[in-house]
Amino acid sequence: MNMRIPILKLNEILIVSLQWELDDQTAIQFQEDLLKKLHDTSAKGVVIDLTPIDFIDSFIAKVLGDVISMSGLMGAKVVITGIQPAVAITLIELGIRLENVMTALDLENGMDKLQQELEA
Amino acid sequence: MNMRIPILKLNEILIVSLQWELDDQTAIQFQEDLLKKLHDTSAKGVVIDLTPIDFIDSFIAKVLGDVISMSGLMGAKVVITGIQPAVAITLIELGIRLENVMTALDLENGMDKLQQELEA
């Protein structure tokens, strides 16, 4: 079974909703797919919703940090939404500070924030 | 591994993007999840994007037809987007005519169509 994370495109924004803890291979595939889709669609922003995720391990946290940095390099603004307490703790403990990243409570707020940012 | 289809909520609309051919169990789980989320969120519309799907078997086609009818019963308008030729053929051959359903070429067009319909 091909376990790909769905990446939706809505206007200039890519939307990713993670629903389960990723295994390593799916995470790498996701990184590849997202960057390729950014390139193919010339999207200007990415929203990654982590709402259902209540735990991430260090490998996935690193991939997530990398994806965000890489998307930034490719010219896209990134918003992460729905970070749960345990996920926030893991990210900070691993030194993944997400400094240039916007965050928001949920997908809808994240989309609004990103829209405003893109229009600014 | 919990193979759930992600269901995103954006304003009053639920968005589902099918990325791979569903197995029977995932399809049933999807039906359950979507109806539950419709109930929980009081969403007024659903967009189901089938763009990456180039084949569906009769069971999945039936589940899809059922989900659409059930969503309608629950008061939601449904738009199906990205139906490929082989999928259209399967649906019609099985007598699943999707008569009360809007269709659109892609997710963006489907969202626009649904927004207009909901505002009308």
Side-chain angles (χ1 to χ4, degrees), chain A residues 24-36:
Chain A
D24 294 1
Q25 204 198 330
T26 308
I28 294 290
Q29 180 75 56
F30 162 62
Q31 176 174 306
E32 222 171 86
D33 288 350
L34 182 65
L35 298 178
K36 185 165 184 309

Side-chain angles (χ1 to χ4, degrees), chain A residues 23-57:
Chain A
D23 60 80
D24 294 1
Q25 204 198 330
T26 308
I28 294 290
Q29 180 75 56
F30 162 62
Q31 176 174 306
E32 222 171 86
D33 288 350
L34 182 65
L35 298 178
K36 185 165 184 309
K37 193 137 184 176
L38 263 182
H39 181 75
D40 291 351
T41 62
S42 309
K44 294 185 179 157
V46 180
V47 182
I48 301 177
D49 182 42
L50 302 180
T51 303
I53 307 291
D54 50 17
F55 167 82
I56 54 171
D57 66 23

